[in-house]
Amino acid sequence: MSTQEHLQQRIELLEKRLVGLEDIEQIKRLQRMYGYYIDNRLWTEMAELFSDAEAVMEIGQRGRYLGKHNIEQFLLDVLGQGRSGLLRDEFINHMQLQGVVTLGDDGKQAQGRWRALIQGNPPAGSRSLFWAEGVYENTYVKEAGTWKIARLWWVPTFYTSHPCDSLSFASSPASASLPPQQPSAEPDSELGRTFVPFHYQHPITGHAVTRVTSKT
């Protein structure tokens, strides 16, 4: 093999590795966005992350829902109990940890394993906190150059709740002894606390995403 052929082969190998690393980062980004959308009960935005072809969602022992339409209905009607968005003083934290992504040989499919740690409170008025933990084993596909979720499978390890005497959504006020140069962002009157806007657009639709506040 000539020096030129060797260099060409090495360039092709490095380019393949670079594409693989970019694919893995896109998949991780996709899964993280899913977590932030579920934090805010954005069911439509979550469903749009799924493959247009053969999407599957399986949560615990609730069965498998096939296709984006059925997945969206499941999210809204079953998980969401008919409502989108957060109630005032309601919160969900869906933290996805220990992500391991493995690309398929064809570069068009991948597997991802994540550990989800979930905390939240029931709708305002209840004096308890909810915790859950479980493992995702997901499948992703690359459609027209964009990674999407083909199968989302979450198996819970545990669910629990415990009493909570107090839950505050108010931060400490500005210091009187060392006043800030500018005031903090105003809390959202409907949510009951400050909402941090998404700086990114939806990875599939390209639309800006905003929170939804439930009125019920």
Side-chain angles (χ1 to χ4, degrees):
M1 179 184 298
S2 68
T3 301
Q4 185 175 355
E5 290 173 332
H6 176 75
L7 288 174
Q8 182 62 35
Q9 188 178 72
R10 183 165 178 77
I11 289 171
E12 291 174 358
L13 177 61
L14 291 173
E15 287 178 341
K16 182 178 180 180
R17 288 180 179 177
L18 178 59
V19 170
L21 290 172
E22 290 176 341
D23 285 337
I24 289 173
E25 184 56 36
Q26 288 178 23
I27 292 167
K28 289 181 176 180
R29 182 179 174 87
L30 171 70
Q31 189 66 40
R32 290 164 184 157
M33 288 184 182
Y34 165 90
Y36 281 113
Y37 292 158
I38 198 172
D39 282 352
N40 292 276
R41 300 170 62 95
L42 296 171
W43 311 126
T44 298
E45 287 78 3
M46 288 172 63
E48 288 290 349
L49 299 176
F50 283 78
S51 165
D52 295 322
E54 299 177 355
V56 181
M57 172 175 268
E58 181 177 354
I59 302 293
Q61 296 297 308
R62 295 177 181 270
R64 296 178 183 175
Y65 289 82
L66 311 180
K68 289 176 70 170
H69 173 74
N70 291 322
I71 287 172
E72 184 174 0
Q73 289 301 116
F74 165 73
L75 291 170
L76 175 61
D77 296 339
V78 180
L79 291 189
Q81 298 182 339
R83 70 175 171 91
S84 296
L86 296 171
L87 296 170
R88 181 180 177 84
D89 293 338
E90 179 183 20
F91 79 91
I92 301 170
N93 292 327
H94 195 93
M95 295 167 281
Q96 297 168 111
L97 314 170
Q98 300 177 324
V100 178
V101 176
T102 304
L103 288 175
D105 292 337
D106 61 0
K108 297 180 180 179
Q109 291 191 350
Q111 301 293 126
R113 189 176 183 90
W114 308 81
R115 184 173 298 281
L117 180 62
I118 304 159
Q119 59 182 194
N121 65 338
S126 176
R127 289 185 171 270
S128 64
L129 287 178
F130 170 82
W131 288 83
E133 192 273 343
V135 173
Y136 283 106
E137 185 66 39
N138 297 341
T139 302
Y140 308 90
V141 294
K142 199 173 190 179
E143 293 181 351
T146 300
W147 283 99
K148 300 179 182 179
I149 301 171
R151 182 191 183 194
L152 186 133
W153 180 27
W154 187 67
V155 177
T157 306
F158 70 82
Y159 297 94
T160 188
S161 62
H162 63 85
C164 178
D165 293 334
S166 65
L167 189 64
S168 175
F169 293 92
S171 168
S172 298
S175 172
S177 60
L178 185 63
Q181 284 68 57
Q182 294 181 344
S184 296
E186 287 292 327
D188 188 305
S189 60
E190 294 183 334
L191 191 60
R193 62 183 187 277
T194 301
F195 174 76
V196 181
F198 297 104
H199 73 270
Y200 49 84
Q201 296 178 328
H202 194 284
I204 311 301
T205 66
H207 297 156
V209 177
T210 58
R211 71 163 185 84
V212 176
T213 301
S214 179
K215 300 295 186 182
T216 61

